[in-house]
Amino acid sequence: MTSSGECLAVVVDPGPRRTRVRVCGEIDMDDAVEVREDLTAALDASRNGLDIDLAGVTFCDSSGLHVLLDLNEQAREAGKTLVLSALSPTVVRLLHITGTRGVLTVQDQLASNSPAPDEGRGGCGSPNRPGAPAGFRMRVRRYGPTVYLAPAGELDLDTRSALDGIQVDLDGVDVVACDMKRLTFLDVVGLHGLLNLTRRLAERGIAFFAYNWQPQPRRLLDLIDGLHPPAGRDSPTRLLRRLQDFAAAARTAGAAKARPNVPRRTAPPPH
Protein backbone atom coordinates (compact mmCIF):
# COMPACT_ATOMS: atom_id res chain seq x y z
CA MET A 1 0.00 0.00 0.00
CA THR A 2 1.35 3.40 -0.93
CA SER A 3 1.53 5.88 1.88
CA SER A 4 0.27 9.37 1.20
CA GLY A 5 2.15 12.35 2.49
CA GLU A 6 5.53 12.48 4.17
CA CYS A 7 6.00 11.88 7.88
CA LEU A 8 8.98 12.58 10.11
CA ALA A 9 8.88 11.50 13.74
CA VAL A 10 11.37 12.25 16.51
CA VAL A 11 10.71 10.50 19.83
CA VAL A 12 12.85 11.54 22.80
CA ASP A 13 13.03 9.26 25.84
CA PRO A 14 15.23 10.81 28.55
CA GLY A 15 16.99 8.48 30.98
CA PRO A 16 19.03 9.06 34.15
CA ARG A 17 22.33 8.79 32.26
CA ARG A 18 21.63 8.57 28.55
CA THR A 19 18.78 9.77 26.35
CA ARG A 20 17.27 7.50 23.73
CA VAL A 21 16.03 9.10 20.53
CA ARG A 22 14.09 7.35 17.76
CA VAL A 23 13.89 8.99 14.33
CA CYS A 24 11.47 7.70 11.69
CA GLY A 25 10.64 8.90 8.19
CA GLU A 26 12.61 11.04 5.77
CA ILE A 27 15.48 13.37 6.65
CA ASP A 28 16.23 15.79 3.84
CA MET A 29 17.11 19.45 3.43
CA ASP A 30 13.61 20.52 4.48
CA ASP A 31 13.70 18.58 7.76
CA ALA A 32 17.40 18.62 8.68
CA VAL A 33 17.25 21.96 10.50
CA GLU A 34 14.43 20.83 12.78
CA VAL A 35 16.01 17.41 13.35
CA ARG A 36 19.23 19.18 14.31
CA GLU A 37 17.34 21.34 16.82
CA ASP A 38 15.62 18.32 18.38
CA LEU A 39 18.79 16.24 18.65
CA THR A 40 20.88 19.14 19.92
CA ALA A 41 18.34 19.89 22.65
CA ALA A 42 18.28 16.21 23.61
CA LEU A 43 22.09 16.07 23.72
CA ASP A 44 22.33 19.21 25.85
CA ALA A 45 19.76 17.85 28.31
CA SER A 46 21.39 14.42 28.57
CA ARG A 47 23.98 13.50 31.18
CA ASN A 48 26.23 11.18 29.19
CA GLY A 49 24.98 11.39 25.61
CA LEU A 50 22.50 10.00 23.08
CA ASP A 51 21.54 6.57 21.75
CA ILE A 52 19.90 7.23 18.38
CA ASP A 53 17.68 4.63 16.69
CA LEU A 54 17.59 5.24 12.93
CA ALA A 55 15.94 1.94 11.97
CA GLY A 56 12.81 3.76 10.83
CA VAL A 57 14.57 6.26 8.57
CA THR A 58 13.39 5.68 5.00
CA PHE A 59 15.49 8.39 3.35
CA CYS A 60 18.50 10.42 4.42
CA ASP A 61 20.57 12.75 2.26
CA SER A 62 23.77 14.67 2.93
CA SER A 63 21.87 17.20 5.05
CA GLY A 64 20.90 14.49 7.52
CA LEU A 65 24.41 13.04 7.47
CA HIS A 66 25.90 16.44 8.35
CA VAL A 67 23.52 16.63 11.32
CA LEU A 68 24.87 13.33 12.66
CA LEU A 69 28.52 14.27 12.07
CA ASP A 70 28.14 17.71 13.66
CA LEU A 71 26.23 16.27 16.61
CA ASN A 72 28.91 13.63 17.10
CA GLU A 73 31.55 16.37 17.32
CA GLN A 74 29.42 18.40 19.74
CA ALA A 75 29.03 15.35 21.96
CA ARG A 76 32.80 14.73 21.95
CA GLU A 77 33.53 18.34 22.89
CA ALA A 78 31.03 18.14 25.74
CA GLY A 79 32.56 14.93 27.10
CA LYS A 80 29.58 12.88 25.96
CA THR A 81 29.06 10.17 23.36
CA LEU A 82 26.68 9.68 20.45
CA VAL A 83 25.84 6.08 19.59
CA LEU A 84 23.76 4.89 16.62
CA SER A 85 21.87 2.01 18.21
CA ALA A 86 20.07 0.88 15.04
CA LEU A 87 20.33 1.68 11.34
CA SER A 88 17.98 1.24 8.43
CA PRO A 89 19.36 -0.06 5.11
CA THR A 90 19.07 3.49 3.80
CA VAL A 91 21.40 4.84 6.49
CA VAL A 92 23.77 1.89 6.13
CA ARG A 93 24.16 2.62 2.43
CA LEU A 94 24.67 6.35 3.07
CA LEU A 95 27.45 5.72 5.59
CA HIS A 96 29.05 3.20 3.25
CA ILE A 97 29.15 5.31 0.10
CA THR A 98 30.35 8.40 2.01
CA GLY A 99 33.00 6.54 3.97
CA THR A 100 31.75 7.98 7.27
CA ARG A 101 30.89 4.74 9.01
CA GLY A 102 34.20 4.69 10.86
CA VAL A 103 33.63 8.22 12.15
CA LEU A 104 30.36 7.44 13.93
CA THR A 105 29.84 4.88 16.67
CA VAL A 106 27.45 2.11 15.63
CA GLN A 107 26.40 -0.10 18.53
CA ASP A 108 27.79 -3.61 17.99
CA GLN A 109 27.81 -2.86 14.26
CA LEU A 110 24.14 -3.94 14.24
CA ALA A 111 23.62 -3.21 10.60
CA SER A 112 26.93 -4.55 9.24
CA ASN A 113 25.19 -7.10 7.07
CA SER A 114 22.10 -5.10 6.19
CA PRO A 115 21.31 -5.03 2.47
CA ALA A 116 21.60 -1.77 0.61
CA PRO A 117 18.27 -0.21 -0.34
CA ASP A 118 17.03 0.14 -3.87
CA GLU A 119 17.78 3.29 -5.77
CA GLY A 120 15.43 6.17 -5.10
CA ARG A 121 13.56 7.25 -2.03
CA GLY A 122 11.54 4.50 -0.44
CA GLY A 123 9.22 4.46 2.52
CA CYS A 124 6.53 6.77 3.78
CA GLY A 125 5.69 9.56 1.38
CA SER A 126 8.40 8.74 -1.13
CA PRO A 127 8.08 11.12 -4.09
CA ASN A 128 9.44 8.40 -6.39
CA ARG A 129 6.67 6.01 -5.46
CA PRO A 130 3.84 5.88 -8.00
CA GLY A 131 0.76 7.61 -6.69
CA ALA A 132 2.42 9.23 -3.67
CA PRO A 133 1.16 12.83 -3.75
CA ALA A 134 3.40 15.68 -2.78
CA GLY A 135 2.39 18.75 -0.82
CA PHE A 136 1.80 17.38 2.69
CA ARG A 137 4.20 16.58 5.50
CA MET A 138 3.59 15.56 9.09
CA ARG A 139 6.25 16.14 11.71
CA VAL A 140 5.88 14.23 14.96
CA ARG A 141 7.88 14.86 18.11
CA ARG A 142 7.46 13.14 21.44
CA TYR A 143 8.84 14.27 24.79
CA GLY A 144 7.74 11.90 27.51
CA PRO A 145 3.94 11.90 27.79
CA THR A 146 3.45 14.74 25.29
CA VAL A 147 3.33 14.41 21.49
CA TYR A 148 3.65 17.44 19.21
CA LEU A 149 2.24 17.27 15.68
CA ALA A 150 3.06 19.79 12.97
CA PRO A 151 1.21 19.18 9.70
CA ALA A 152 2.37 21.23 6.73
CA GLY A 153 0.81 21.71 3.31
CA GLU A 154 -2.59 20.44 2.15
CA LEU A 155 -4.62 17.83 4.02
CA ASP A 156 -7.20 16.48 1.62
CA LEU A 157 -8.50 13.32 -0.06
CA ASP A 158 -5.06 12.40 -1.39
CA THR A 159 -3.13 12.92 1.86
CA ARG A 160 -5.68 12.10 4.56
CA SER A 161 -4.21 8.60 5.11
CA ALA A 162 -1.06 10.22 6.56
CA LEU A 163 -3.05 10.64 9.79
CA ASP A 164 -3.48 6.89 10.27
CA GLY A 165 0.12 6.28 11.28
CA ILE A 166 -0.03 8.80 14.11
CA GLN A 167 -1.72 6.20 16.32
CA VAL A 168 1.64 4.42 16.58
CA ASP A 169 3.76 4.91 19.72
CA LEU A 170 1.04 6.57 21.79
CA ASP A 171 1.42 4.27 24.79
CA GLY A 172 1.98 6.43 27.86
CA VAL A 173 0.95 9.62 26.06
CA ASP A 174 -1.32 12.05 27.93
CA VAL A 175 -1.49 15.01 25.53
CA VAL A 176 -1.27 15.51 21.77
CA ALA A 177 -0.70 19.13 20.74
CA CYS A 178 -1.11 19.99 17.07
CA ASP A 179 0.38 23.17 15.61
CA MET A 180 -1.68 24.11 12.54
CA LYS A 181 0.51 27.05 11.55
CA ARG A 182 1.74 25.40 8.34
CA LEU A 183 -1.49 23.67 7.36
CA THR A 184 -2.45 25.81 4.37
CA PHE A 185 -5.45 23.88 3.06
CA LEU A 186 -8.03 21.53 4.55
CA ASP A 187 -10.95 19.89 2.76
CA VAL A 188 -13.90 17.95 4.20
CA VAL A 189 -12.13 14.59 3.89
CA GLY A 190 -9.08 15.93 5.73
CA LEU A 191 -11.33 17.46 8.38
CA HIS A 192 -13.07 14.12 8.95
CA GLY A 193 -9.65 12.54 9.30
CA LEU A 194 -8.71 15.04 12.01
CA LEU A 195 -12.01 14.54 13.82
CA ASN A 196 -11.60 10.76 13.71
CA LEU A 197 -8.10 11.17 15.12
CA THR A 198 -9.34 13.28 18.03
CA ARG A 199 -12.10 10.76 18.78
CA ARG A 200 -9.65 7.87 18.81
CA LEU A 201 -7.37 9.81 21.12
CA ALA A 202 -10.29 10.66 23.41
CA GLU A 203 -11.23 6.99 23.62
CA ARG A 204 -7.72 6.31 24.95
CA GLY A 205 -7.98 9.15 27.45
CA ILE A 206 -5.52 11.35 25.52
CA ALA A 207 -6.25 15.09 25.36
CA PHE A 208 -5.94 16.78 21.96
CA PHE A 209 -5.29 20.48 21.40
CA ALA A 210 -4.97 22.27 18.07
CA TYR A 211 -3.76 25.84 17.73
CA ASN A 212 -2.49 28.40 15.20
CA TRP A 213 -5.30 27.68 12.74
CA GLN A 214 -4.81 29.42 9.40
CA PRO A 215 -7.63 31.33 7.61
CA GLN A 216 -8.77 28.66 5.12
CA PRO A 217 -8.96 25.73 7.58
CA ARG A 218 -10.64 27.99 10.14
CA ARG A 219 -13.26 29.05 7.58
CA LEU A 220 -14.00 25.38 6.88
CA LEU A 221 -14.52 24.73 10.60
CA ASP A 222 -16.92 27.67 10.77
CA LEU A 223 -18.74 26.48 7.64
CA ILE A 224 -19.22 22.94 8.97
CA ASP A 225 -20.52 24.25 12.29
CA GLY A 226 -22.89 26.56 10.43
CA LEU A 227 -24.26 23.79 8.20
CA HIS A 228 -24.71 21.36 11.10
CA PRO A 229 -25.93 23.28 14.15
CA PRO A 230 -25.28 21.25 17.31
CA ALA A 231 -28.26 19.64 18.98
CA GLY A 232 -26.74 20.39 22.36
CA ARG A 233 -23.93 22.70 23.37
CA ASP A 234 -21.18 21.00 21.37
CA SER A 235 -20.40 21.94 17.77
CA PRO A 236 -19.26 19.31 15.24
CA THR A 237 -15.71 20.68 15.36
CA ARG A 238 -15.59 21.19 19.13
CA LEU A 239 -12.73 18.74 19.64
CA LEU A 240 -10.58 20.74 17.22
CA ARG A 241 -11.32 24.03 18.98
CA ARG A 242 -10.59 23.05 22.58
CA LEU A 243 -7.52 25.24 22.92
CA GLN A 244 -9.33 28.15 21.25
CA ASP A 245 -12.29 27.70 23.60
CA PHE A 246 -9.97 27.42 26.59
CA ALA A 247 -8.20 30.64 25.63
CA ALA A 248 -11.52 32.44 25.17
CA ALA A 249 -12.77 31.18 28.54
CA ALA A 250 -9.53 32.27 30.19
CA ARG A 251 -9.84 35.76 28.71
CA THR A 252 -13.45 35.99 29.86
CA ALA A 253 -12.57 34.78 33.36
CA GLY A 254 -9.66 37.19 33.54
CA ALA A 255 -11.81 40.11 32.50
CA ALA A 256 -14.50 39.17 35.03
CA LYS A 257 -11.91 38.87 37.77
CA ALA A 258 -10.48 42.26 36.95
CA ARG A 259 -13.80 44.10 37.05
CA PRO A 260 -14.15 44.27 40.85
CA ASN A 261 -10.73 45.87 41.04
CA VAL A 262 -11.70 48.74 38.79
CA PRO A 263 -12.41 51.75 41.00
CA ARG A 264 -15.95 52.99 40.65
CA ARG A 265 -16.68 56.63 40.03
CA THR A 266 -18.50 58.15 42.93
CA ALA A 267 -20.28 61.44 43.15
CA PRO A 268 -18.30 64.11 44.96
CA PRO A 269 -19.40 64.65 48.55
CA PRO A 270 -21.81 67.52 49.06
CA HIS A 271 -20.29 70.72 50.33
Side-chain angles (χ1 to χ4, degrees):
M1 177 178 177
T2 300
S3 177
S4 299
E6 299 177 6
C7 182
L8 174 68
V10 178
V11 179
V12 180
D13 183 17
R17 294 185 177 276
R18 301 186 63 80
T19 294
R20 293 178 295 175
V21 181
R22 185 167 66 255
V23 183
C24 302
E26 301 187 353
I27 308 175
D28 55 20
M29 184 180 298
D30 293 332
D31 298 304
V33 173
E34 294 178 335
V35 172
R36 182 187 296 273
E37 292 175 352
D38 290 339
L39 295 183
T40 300
L43 176 64
D44 292 343
S46 69
R47 181 176 178 181
N48 292 344
L50 301 182
D51 296 324
I52 304 179
D53 182 346
L54 301 175
V57 173
T58 56
F59 174 80
C60 184
D61 63 9
S62 60
S63 301
L65 177 59
H66 279 295
V67 170
L68 295 175
L69 294 174
D70 292 346
L71 200 70
N72 186 64
E73 181 64 19
Q74 293 173 26
R76 187 188 64 81
E77 293 176 352
K80 303 178 182 180
T81 58
L82 183 144
V83 176
L84 304 183
S85 60
L87 304 179
S88 69
T90 298
V91 179
V92 171
R93 181 172 183 272
L94 177 64
L95 298 184
H96 175 71
I97 64 177
T98 58
T100 54
R101 181 162 189 156
V103 178
L104 299 168
T105 302
V106 180
Q107 181 177 344
D108 298 331
Q109 301 297 309
L110 289 174
S112 58
N113 297 318
S114 299
D118 296 334
E119 293 293 333
R121 297 172 67 172
C124 175
S126 169
N128 289 341
R129 281 188 162 198
F136 180 79
R137 304 173 71 86
M138 175 67 78
R139 185 180 183 221
V140 184
R141 293 177 295 166
R142 176 174 175 177
Y143 297 96
T146 303
V147 169
Y148 298 91
L149 305 180
E154 301 182 357
L155 182 57
D156 52 24
L157 176 62
D158 293 329
T159 58
R160 174 249 178 271
S161 61
L163 298 175
D164 296 337
I166 299 174
Q167 285 298 306
V168 180
D169 298 326
L170 289 179
D171 291 339
V173 171
D174 295 329
V175 177
V176 172
C178 191
D179 186 349
M180 299 295 188
K181 183 177 182 179
R182 297 182 180 178
L183 184 67
T184 57
F185 178 82
L186 179 68
D187 70 2
V188 174
V189 176
L191 175 59
H192 285 171
L194 284 174
L195 289 172
N196 288 336
L197 172 63
T198 60
R199 295 188 186 103
R200 293 196 299 268
L201 293 174
E203 290 172 357
R204 299 179 58 170
I206 300 174
F208 178 89
F209 298 97
Y211 54 98
N212 287 336
W213 286 100
Q214 296 305 295
Q216 188 278 331
R218 184 183 292 276
R219 285 196 297 269
L220 179 62
L221 299 185
D222 294 339
L223 176 63
I224 295 299
D225 286 347
L227 291 176
H228 304 280
R233 298 180 56 187
D234 296 338
S235 67
T237 65
R238 176 188 62 86
L239 292 176
L240 296 176
R241 299 178 183 263
R242 290 182 61 186
L243 190 59
Q244 173 185 334
D245 295 341
F246 176 80
R251 288 194 298 269
T252 301
K257 185 177 180 180
R259 286 193 193 104
N261 297 326
V262 176
R264 296 182 178 180
R265 291 187 178 182
T266 57
H271 294 288

